[in-house]
Amino acid sequence: MEPDLLLNEVAAVSVTCVIGLQWGDEAKGKLVDLLTDEHEIVVRYQGGSNAGHTVVTGGQTYKLSLIPSGILSPNVQCVVTGGVVLNPASILQEIDALVARGIKVGKNLMLSDRAHVIFPWHIAEDRALDKSCSSGENIGTTMRGIGPCYGDKVARSFAVRLGDLYRDNFRERLEYITAAKNRSLVSLNGQTGHTQLDAEAIAREYASYAKRLAPYVGDTTAYLLDAVEAGRRVLLEGAQGALLDVDHGTFPFVTSSNSSGVGVSSGSGLPGRWITKVIGVVKAYSTRVGGGPFPTEQDNEIGQHIRDRGNEYGTVTRRPRRCGWFDAVAVRYTARLSGVDALAVMLLDVLSELPDLKICTAYEIDGRRITNFPSHVEDLRRSVPVYETMPGWQQDITKIRKMADLPLAARKYLDRLSQLIARPVEVVSIGPDREQTIFARPKS
Ligand code: IMP
């Protein structure tokens, strides 16, 4: 290939990523929805139906889990890559619910034949294993079988990928796997605590899923490489948040995939050097679902106020989310880890009634002040947040559409976040609707 031709191709590449920088639920779905107009392809590349996002558009609310919110835009191609763990029943339910509401789901959805498939034993293992987490505190998973499915993927022997459902030996493999899983689940749960998995019934059930999913299945890696080389504009939407990254998050209180920016390339199959922009999404405060340390947690009336105002209940499990102040130590870490270029600050309106706002700017461990995010979860557990207090704004901001019209205290709060994380704030969200969004540089 001619060297200058290669240069031309690289110059045309446009790949944007949206990454949550906290513990998930940063309202990434809304941002992805807003950015979708500027992209031709929207990609989900890790996680599974543990994620849930709500998109409000045209007065309608859509709750999506595995399918990218790009599906709501008829001209956008949606891709679910091999980095995802896929529960066929869940995705079919999502497809049916969208179709029932008049949304087109056909060639505009592509599912990777490399995606690993979730089976009933993964959900049974999730239940059994979450109980026995070594520190005594449960991980508090979403019980969707995510961790056990990723575990089988890495261990390989019992893994089934979507493409395997269409192979002649699928039935035979299923018998082998169910026999082994029946044995291991009996040893985890005891004879009485385990209902035997029936290979025959599972084979029938999954054959019917395979039939229905067949029109969507393909090689998404090849598709995306071709698409980027052809200069098509791609948007990659991360699921969960960077603090839940299996390698770089608050292990073991994490999810089982690389949910920070480091996972984009392995999950999608696109080389990291092709990523042209990374937008880090944060809430104006912090939330966490499930177990694990959360230094800025406010298990008090402030936390409850945030929960009520922000409707902080899980989209997937409806569990109340733990709420607290913005943690700039954690977000500075995840912004660097994810190679973030700019920030989107969501749910700023939730803080509107509070007289004072706190931002955690450092931790103290045994009287020693640190600004690096601890690598061991027990050090994080011992970390005492050092706060800076800023005045709040007692004013409704949900109808404001320009940065300059925000109350001075709100602008100062955003400036301080930007300064602490060393990234510009490009987007501010002040309500669930598309219109309730402020762009630092107005969109052309
Ligand atoms: P899992 O992903 O179901 O294995 O759950 C592992 C941890 O990640 C638990 O603390 C979950 O609450 C959390 N988690 C998983 N998915 C999400 C999400 O989409 N938002 C927030 N937390 C999540």
Side-chain angles (χ1 to χ4, degrees):
M1 187 181 287
E2 295 290 326
D4 59 341
L5 185 58
L6 190 67
L7 270 178
N8 283 343
E9 281 182 27
V10 173
V13 166
S14 167
V15 180
T16 304
C17 302
V18 169
I19 306 284
L21 297 183
Q22 295 159 317
W23 281 285
D25 311 315
E26 295 92 351
K28 297 178 290 293
K30 172 175 169 175
L31 186 70
V32 169
D33 178 49
L34 285 165
L35 295 173
T36 294
D37 291 350
E38 299 163 18
H39 295 85
E40 296 158 271
I41 302 170
V42 182
V43 184
R44 173 78 191 278
Y45 60 88
Q46 46 78 221
S49 40
N50 48 351
H53 41 258
T54 309
V55 180
V56 182
T57 174
Q60 300 268 336
T61 303
Y62 297 90
K63 289 195 185 300
L64 296 162
S65 184
L66 270 168
I67 300 181
S69 48
I71 204 77
L72 304 174
S73 309
N75 299 323
V76 166
Q77 177 66 44
C78 291
V79 177
V80 179
T81 72
V84 164
V85 286
L86 193 142
N87 183 326
S90 311
I91 200 158
L92 283 166
Q93 261 174 23
E94 265 185 75
I95 293 172
D96 290 344
L98 286 165
V99 170
R101 292 176 73 181
I103 307 292
K104 179 184 98 177
V105 187
K107 287 208 181 319
N108 56 337
L109 176 66
M110 186 175 187
L111 309 176
S112 172
D113 56 356
R114 292 180 174 91
H116 282 251
V117 179
I118 295 187
F119 284 89
W121 52 82
H122 293 128
I123 293 162
E125 287 168 342
D126 213 353
R127 289 207 187 98
L129 292 168
D130 193 51
K131 272 184 220 143
S132 58
C133 175
S134 60
S135 70
E137 186 183 357
N138 286 359
I139 298 172
T141 77
T142 58
M143 299 290 163
R144 298 294 190 270
I146 306 296
C149 185
Y150 274 117
D152 277 344
K153 163 177 166 167
V154 179
R156 291 149 300 162
S157 311
F158 300 137
V160 178
R161 306 207 290 185
L162 193 50
D164 297 334
L165 302 188
Y166 303 94
R167 300 284 151 171
D168 292 341
N169 67 349
F170 172 58
R171 186 56 214 276
E172 200 183 310
R173 272 185 49 71
L174 205 60
E175 265 167 34
Y176 164 72
I177 298 170
T178 40
K181 293 290 181 180
N182 273 325
R183 285 194 297 275
S184 67
L185 281 162
V186 166
S187 81
L188 278 171
N189 291 327
Q191 277 296 353
T192 49
H194 171 62
T195 313
Q196 290 287 305
L197 300 159
D198 177 350
E200 172 81 38
I202 297 173
R204 267 200 312 274
E205 184 185 341
Y206 277 69
S208 78
Y209 296 150
K211 197 167 165 204
R212 285 202 58 204
L213 289 175
Y216 309 107
V217 180
D219 180 349
T220 61
T221 308
Y223 173 81
L224 287 175
L225 289 169
D226 286 346
V228 176
E229 277 177 3
R232 297 185 71 196
R233 293 185 307 279
V234 176
L235 179 63
L236 294 137
E237 69 171 280
Q240 290 87 42
L243 293 168
L244 290 172
D245 187 292
V246 66
D247 290 307
H248 304 281
T250 54
F251 190 89
F253 300 99
V254 291
T255 191
S256 301
S257 61
N258 286 115
S259 50
S260 71
V262 303
V264 177
S265 190
S266 60
S268 66
L270 291 174
R273 65 196 292 257
W274 277 0
I275 297 164
T276 43
K277 179 154 188 182
V278 182
I279 304 177
V281 190
V282 292
K283 281 179 182 171
Y285 47 92
S286 307
T287 63
R288 173 162 211 177
V289 206
F294 176 4
T296 63
E297 181 168 16
Q298 297 299 299
D299 190 10
N300 53 29
E301 67 284 0
I302 291 173
Q304 189 58 45
H305 175 87
I306 294 175
R307 188 173 304 116
D308 293 342
R309 284 293 312 264
N311 188 24
E312 292 295 356
Y313 295 88
T315 315
V316 174
T317 59
R318 297 308 299 159
R319 287 181 288 179
R321 296 180 185 139
R322 300 157 66 192
C323 300
W325 296 120
F326 190 90
D327 185 340
V329 178
V331 174
R332 184 170 44 225
Y333 163 62
T334 53
R336 293 170 69 204
L337 177 70
S338 302
V340 163
D341 297 297
L343 297 171
V345 180
M346 315 301 279
L347 294 128
L348 185 68
D349 54 302
V350 171
L351 299 181
S352 288
E353 280 162 30
L354 293 167
D356 293 309
L357 304 175
K358 291 188 179 178
I359 304 173
C360 168
T361 55
Y363 297 148
E364 267 179 14
I365 304 184
D366 301 331
R368 198 168 45 88
R369 193 168 281 215
I370 58 163
T371 50
N372 279 339
F373 193 71
S375 57
H376 200 287
V377 76
E378 292 311 320
D379 290 332
L380 184 64
R381 213 185 279 286
R382 292 189 303 126
S383 298
V384 180
V386 176
Y387 287 116
E388 201 171 280
T389 305
M390 301 192 71
W393 53 92
Q394 281 73 55
Q395 180 182 332
D396 177 18
I397 58 170
T398 57
K399 294 182 185 64
I400 292 175
R401 299 292 176 263
K402 280 199 235 125
M403 209 63 107
D405 294 342
L406 281 171
L408 183 63
R411 274 183 282 141
K412 283 193 168 168
Y413 184 74
L414 292 170
D415 285 348
R416 188 65 183 132
L417 298 192
S418 167
Q419 195 179 42
L420 287 165
I421 299 154
R423 304 288 189 285
V425 173
E426 268 190 10
V427 183
V428 178
S429 173
I430 33 97
D433 285 337
R434 274 184 178 176
E435 298 70 41
Q436 291 176 301
T437 313
I438 303 172
F439 293 90
R441 275 179 292 127
K443 292 208 298 178
S444 48

